Coordinates of all heavy atoms in Angstrom, one line a residue:
M58 N 77.6 112.8 56.8 CA 76.3 112.2 56.4 C 76.3 110.7 56.6 O 75.4 110.2 57.1 CB 75.8 112.7 55.1 CG 74.5 112.2 54.6 SD 74.0 112.9 53.1 CE 74.0 114.6 53.3
F59 N 77.2 110.1 56.1 CA 77.2 108.6 56.1 C 77.4 108.1 57.6 O 76.7 107.2 57.9 CB 78.5 108.0 55.3 CG 78.6 106.5 55.2 CD1 77.5 105.9 54.6 CD2 79.6 105.9 55.8 CE1 77.5 104.5 54.6 CE2 79.7 104.5 55.7 CZ 78.7 103.9 55.0
S60 N 78.2 108.8 58.4 CA 78.3 108.4 59.8 C 77.1 108.4 60.5 O 76.7 107.5 61.4 CB 79.5 109.1 60.4 OG 80.7 108.9 59.8
V61 N 76.3 109.6 60.4 CA 75.1 109.8 61.1 C 74.2 108.7 60.6 O 73.3 108.3 61.3 CB 74.6 111.4 60.9 CG1 73.2 111.4 61.5 CG2 75.8 112.2 61.7
W62 N 74.0 108.6 59.2 CA 72.9 107.8 58.7 C 73.2 106.3 59.2 O 72.3 105.6 59.6 CB 73.2 107.7 57.1 CG 72.2 106.8 56.6 CD1 70.8 106.9 56.3 CD2 72.4 105.4 56.1 NE1 70.2 105.9 55.7 CE2 71.3 104.9 55.5 CE3 73.5 104.5 56.0 CZ2 71.1 103.7 54.9 CZ3 73.6 103.2 55.6 CH2 72.3 102.8 55.0
V63 N 74.5 105.9 59.2 CA 74.7 104.5 59.8 C 74.4 104.3 61.2 O 73.7 103.4 61.6 CB 76.2 104.0 59.5 CG1 76.6 102.7 60.2 CG2 76.6 103.9 58.1
C64 N 74.7 105.3 61.9 CA 74.4 105.3 63.4 C 72.9 105.5 63.7 O 72.4 104.7 64.5 CB 75.1 106.6 64.1 SG 75.0 106.6 65.9
G65 N 72.3 106.1 62.8 CA 70.8 106.2 62.9 C 70.2 105.0 62.6 O 69.1 104.7 63.2
Q66 N 70.6 104.2 61.6 CA 70.0 102.9 61.1 C 70.2 101.9 62.4 O 69.2 101.1 62.5 CB 70.8 102.5 60.0 CG 70.6 103.3 58.8 CD 69.0 103.4 58.3 OE1 68.4 102.4 58.1 NE2 68.5 104.6 58.1
V67 N 71.1 102.0 63.1 CA 71.3 101.0 64.2 C 70.8 101.4 65.5 O 70.0 100.7 66.3 CB 72.8 100.7 64.4 CG1 73.0 99.7 65.5 CG2 73.3 100.2 63.0
F68 N 70.9 102.7 65.9 CA 70.5 103.3 67.3 C 69.5 104.3 67.3 O 69.1 104.7 68.5 CB 71.7 103.8 68.1 CG 72.8 102.8 68.2 CD1 73.9 102.7 67.5 CD2 72.7 101.8 69.2 CE1 75.0 101.7 67.6 CE2 73.6 101.0 69.7 CZ 74.8 100.9 68.7
G69 N 68.9 104.6 66.1 CA 67.9 105.5 66.1 C 68.4 107.0 65.7 O 69.6 107.4 66.1
I70 N 67.7 107.7 64.9 CA 68.1 109.0 64.4 C 68.4 110.1 65.5 O 69.2 111.0 65.5 CB 67.2 109.7 63.4 CG1 67.7 110.8 62.6 CG2 65.9 110.1 64.1 CD1 69.1 110.3 61.8
D71 N 67.6 110.0 66.7 CA 67.8 111.0 67.8 C 69.1 110.8 68.4 O 69.8 111.8 68.7 CB 66.6 110.8 68.8 CG 65.3 111.2 68.3 OD1 65.2 112.0 67.3 OD2 64.3 110.7 68.8
V72 N 69.6 109.6 68.7 CA 70.8 109.4 69.3 C 72.0 109.9 68.1 O 72.9 110.4 68.7 CB 71.0 108.0 69.7 CG1 72.4 107.6 70.1 CG2 70.1 107.6 70.7
A73 N 71.7 109.4 67.0 CA 72.9 109.8 66.0 C 72.9 111.3 65.8 O 74.1 111.7 65.7 CB 72.5 109.2 64.6
L74 N 71.8 112.1 65.8 CA 72.0 113.5 65.6 C 72.6 114.2 66.8 O 73.2 115.2 66.7 CB 70.5 114.1 65.5 CG 70.0 113.8 63.9 CD1 68.5 114.3 63.9 CD2 70.8 114.3 62.8
H75 N 72.4 113.6 67.9 CA 73.1 114.1 69.3 C 74.6 114.1 69.1 O 75.3 115.0 69.7 CB 72.6 113.3 70.5 CG 73.1 113.9 71.7 ND1 72.5 115.1 72.2 CD2 74.0 113.6 72.6 CE1 73.1 115.5 73.3 NE2 73.9 114.3 73.7
L76 N 75.1 113.3 68.2 CA 76.5 113.1 68.1 C 77.2 113.9 66.8 O 78.4 113.8 66.7 CB 77.0 111.6 67.9 CG 76.6 110.8 69.1 CD1 76.8 109.3 68.6 CD2 77.3 111.2 70.4
I77 N 76.3 114.6 66.1 CA 76.7 115.3 65.0 C 77.8 116.3 65.1 O 78.6 116.6 64.3 CB 75.5 115.7 64.2 CG1 76.0 116.1 62.7 CG2 74.9 117.0 64.8 CD1 74.7 116.3 61.8
G78 N 77.7 117.0 66.3 CA 78.7 118.1 66.5 C 80.3 117.5 66.6 O 81.0 117.9 65.7
P79 N 80.5 116.6 67.6 CA 81.8 116.0 67.5 C 82.2 115.4 66.2 O 83.3 115.5 65.6 CB 81.8 115.0 68.6 CG 80.7 115.5 69.5 CD 79.6 116.1 68.5
L80 N 81.3 114.6 65.6 CA 81.5 114.2 64.2 C 82.0 115.1 63.2 O 82.8 114.8 62.3 CB 80.3 113.3 63.8 CG 80.0 112.0 64.5 CD1 78.7 111.4 64.0 CD2 81.2 110.9 64.3
G81 N 81.2 116.2 63.2 CA 81.6 117.3 62.2 C 83.1 117.7 62.4 O 83.7 118.1 61.5
A82 N 83.4 118.0 63.7 CA 84.7 118.5 64.1 C 85.8 117.5 63.6 O 86.8 117.8 63.2 CB 84.8 118.8 65.6
S83 N 85.5 116.2 63.9 CA 86.4 115.1 63.5 C 86.6 115.1 61.9 O 87.7 114.9 61.6 CB 85.9 113.8 64.0 OG 85.9 113.6 65.4
A84 N 85.5 115.3 61.3 CA 85.6 115.4 59.9 C 86.6 116.4 59.4 O 87.3 116.2 58.3 CB 84.3 115.6 59.2
V85 N 86.5 117.6 60.0 CA 87.4 118.6 59.6 C 88.9 118.1 59.7 O 89.7 118.3 58.7 CB 87.3 119.9 60.3 CG1 88.4 120.8 60.2 CG2 85.9 120.5 60.1
L86 N 89.2 117.5 60.8 CA 90.7 117.0 61.0 C 90.8 115.9 59.9 O 92.0 115.8 59.3 CB 90.7 116.5 62.4 CG 90.7 117.5 63.5 CD1 90.8 116.8 64.8 CD2 91.9 118.5 63.3
L87 N 90.0 114.8 59.8 CA 90.3 113.7 59.0 C 90.3 114.0 57.5 O 91.0 113.3 56.8 CB 89.2 112.6 59.2 CG 89.6 111.6 60.4 CD1 89.7 112.3 61.7 CD2 88.6 110.5 60.6
F88 N 89.6 115.0 57.1 CA 89.6 115.4 55.6 C 90.4 116.4 55.2 O 90.9 116.5 54.1 CB 88.1 115.4 55.1 CG 87.4 114.2 55.2 CD1 86.5 113.9 56.3 CD2 87.3 113.3 54.2 CE1 85.7 112.8 56.4 CE2 86.6 112.0 54.3 CZ 85.7 111.8 55.4
A89 N 90.5 117.5 56.1 CA 91.2 118.7 55.8 C 92.6 118.6 56.1 O 93.6 119.3 55.5 CB 90.5 119.8 56.4
V90 N 93.0 118.0 57.3 CA 94.5 118.0 57.9 C 94.7 116.6 58.3 O 95.2 116.4 59.4 CB 94.4 119.0 59.1 CG1 94.7 120.4 58.5 CG2 93.4 118.9 60.0
S91 N 94.5 115.7 57.3 CA 94.7 114.3 57.6 C 96.0 113.7 57.9 O 96.4 112.8 58.4 CB 94.2 113.5 56.4 OG 94.8 113.7 55.2
S92 N 97.1 114.7 57.5 CA 98.4 114.4 57.9 C 98.9 114.7 59.3 O 99.9 114.2 59.8 CB 99.4 115.0 56.9 OG 99.3 116.5 57.1
G93 N 98.0 115.5 60.1 CA 98.2 115.7 61.3 C 98.1 114.5 62.4 O 97.6 113.6 62.2
A94 N 98.9 114.7 63.4 CA 99.0 113.5 64.5 C 97.6 113.5 65.2 O 97.2 112.4 65.5 CB 100.0 113.9 65.6
L95 N 96.8 114.5 65.2 CA 95.5 114.5 65.8 C 94.4 113.9 65.0 O 93.3 113.7 65.5 CB 95.1 116.0 66.2 CG 96.0 116.7 67.1 CD1 95.4 118.2 67.4 CD2 96.3 116.0 68.4
A96 N 94.8 113.6 63.7 CA 93.8 113.1 62.8 C 94.0 111.5 62.5 O 93.3 111.1 61.6 CB 93.7 113.9 61.5
Q97 N 94.8 111.0 63.2 CA 95.3 109.5 62.9 C 94.3 108.6 63.5 O 93.5 108.9 64.4 CB 96.7 109.3 63.3 CG 97.7 110.1 62.6 CD 97.6 110.1 61.1 OE1 97.6 109.2 60.4 NE2 97.4 111.4 60.7
P98 N 94.2 107.3 62.9 CA 93.1 106.4 63.4 C 93.1 106.2 64.9 O 92.0 106.3 65.5 CB 93.6 105.1 62.7 CG 94.2 105.6 61.3 CD 94.9 106.7 61.9
W99 N 94.3 106.1 65.5 CA 94.2 105.8 67.0 C 93.7 107.0 67.7 O 93.1 107.0 68.8 CB 95.6 105.4 67.5 CG 95.8 105.2 69.0 CD1 96.7 105.9 69.8 CD2 94.9 104.5 69.9 NE1 96.4 105.7 71.1 CE2 95.4 104.8 71.2 CE3 93.8 103.7 69.5 CZ2 94.8 104.2 72.3 CZ3 93.3 103.1 70.8 CH2 93.8 103.4 72.0
S100 N 94.0 108.1 67.2 CA 93.5 109.4 67.8 C 92.0 109.5 67.8 O 91.4 109.8 68.9 CB 94.0 110.7 67.1 OG 95.4 110.7 67.2
I101 N 91.3 109.3 66.8 CA 89.9 109.3 66.8 C 89.2 108.1 67.7 O 88.3 108.2 68.4 CB 89.2 109.4 65.3 CG1 87.7 109.5 65.4 CG2 89.7 108.2 64.6 CD1 87.2 109.7 64.1
L102 N 89.8 106.9 67.3 CA 89.1 105.6 68.0 C 89.4 105.8 69.6 O 88.7 105.6 70.4 CB 89.6 104.4 67.6 CG 89.2 104.1 66.0 CD1 89.8 102.8 65.5 CD2 87.7 104.1 66.0
G103 N 90.7 106.0 69.9 CA 91.1 106.2 71.3 C 90.4 107.3 72.0 O 90.0 107.3 73.2
G104 N 90.4 108.4 71.3 CA 89.8 109.7 71.8 C 88.3 109.5 72.2 O 87.9 109.9 73.1
Y105 N 87.6 108.9 71.2 CA 86.2 108.7 71.4 C 85.9 107.7 72.5 O 84.9 107.9 73.4 CB 85.6 108.2 70.1 CG 85.1 109.2 69.1 CD1 85.8 110.4 69.0 CD2 84.0 109.1 68.4 CE1 85.4 111.5 68.1 CE2 83.5 110.1 67.6 CZ 84.3 111.3 67.5 OH 83.8 112.2 66.6
L106 N 86.9 106.6 72.6 CA 86.6 105.7 73.7 C 86.9 106.3 75.1 O 86.1 106.2 76.0 CB 87.4 104.5 73.5 CG 87.4 103.4 74.5 CD1 86.0 102.7 74.5 CD2 88.5 102.2 74.1
C107 N 88.0 107.1 75.2 CA 88.3 107.8 76.4 C 87.1 108.7 76.8 O 86.8 108.6 78.0 CB 89.5 108.5 76.2 SG 91.1 107.5 76.2
A108 N 86.6 109.6 75.9 CA 85.7 110.4 76.2 C 84.3 109.8 76.7 O 83.6 110.2 77.6 CB 85.4 111.3 75.1
G109 N 84.1 108.7 75.9 CA 82.8 108.0 76.2 C 82.9 107.3 77.7 O 81.9 107.5 78.4
V110 N 83.9 106.7 78.0 CA 84.0 105.9 79.2 C 84.0 107.0 80.3 O 83.4 106.8 81.4 CB 85.3 105.0 79.2 CG1 85.5 104.4 80.7 CG2 85.1 103.9 78.3
I111 N 84.9 108.0 80.2 CA 85.1 109.0 81.3 C 83.8 109.7 81.5 O 83.3 109.9 82.7 CB 86.1 110.0 81.0 CG1 87.5 109.3 81.0 CG2 86.0 111.2 81.8 CD1 87.8 108.8 82.6
S112 N 83.1 110.1 80.5 CA 81.8 111.0 80.7 C 80.8 110.1 81.3 O 80.0 110.6 82.2 CB 81.3 111.4 79.3 OG 81.1 110.4 78.4
L113 N 80.5 108.8 80.9 CA 79.6 107.9 81.6 C 79.9 107.6 83.0 O 79.0 107.6 83.9 CB 79.4 106.7 80.7 CG 78.7 106.7 79.3 CD1 78.9 105.6 78.5 CD2 77.3 107.2 79.4
L114 N 81.1 107.5 83.3 CA 81.5 107.3 84.6 C 81.3 108.5 85.6 O 80.7 108.3 86.6 CB 83.0 106.9 84.6 CG 83.6 106.6 86.1 CD1 82.9 105.3 86.6 CD2 85.2 106.4 85.9
V115 N 81.6 109.6 85.0 CA 81.4 110.7 85.8 C 79.9 111.1 86.0 O 79.4 111.4 87.1 CB 82.1 112.0 85.1 CG1 81.5 113.4 85.6 CG2 83.6 111.9 85.2
A116 N 79.2 110.8 84.9 CA 77.7 110.9 85.0 C 77.1 110.1 86.1 O 76.1 110.5 86.9 CB 77.1 110.7 83.6
H117 N 77.6 108.8 86.2 CA 77.0 107.9 87.3 C 77.5 108.4 88.6 O 76.6 108.3 89.7 CB 77.6 106.5 87.0 CG 76.7 105.7 85.9 ND1 75.7 105.0 86.4 CD2 76.9 105.7 84.7 CE1 75.1 104.4 85.3 NE2 75.9 104.8 84.2
V118 N 78.7 108.9 88.8 CA 79.1 109.3 90.1 C 78.7 110.6 90.6 O 78.2 110.8 91.8 CB 80.6 109.2 90.1 CG1 81.2 109.7 91.6 CG2 81.2 107.8 89.9
L119 N 78.7 111.6 89.8 CA 78.6 112.9 90.1 C 77.1 113.6 89.4 O 76.8 114.6 89.8 CB 79.6 113.8 89.7 CG 80.9 113.5 90.2 CD1 81.9 114.5 89.6 CD2 81.0 113.6 91.7

Side-chain angles (χ1 to χ4, degrees):
M58 182 178 294
F59 183 61
S60 300
V61 173
W62 179 80
V63 170
C64 186
Q66 294 298 306
V67 179
F68 296 100
I70 192 62
D71 291 339
V72 174
L74 289 177
H75 189 66
L76 301 173
I77 196 170
L80 287 174
S83 295
V85 173
L86 291 175
L87 269 65
F88 292 97
V90 284
S91 58
S92 62
L95 304 181
Q97 299 311 300
W99 172 235
S100 293
I101 181 172
L102 293 181
Y105 274 35
L106 182 60
C107 290
V110 171
I111 290 295
S112 59
L113 290 173
L114 181 61
V115 169
H117 273 272
V118 176
L119 300 178

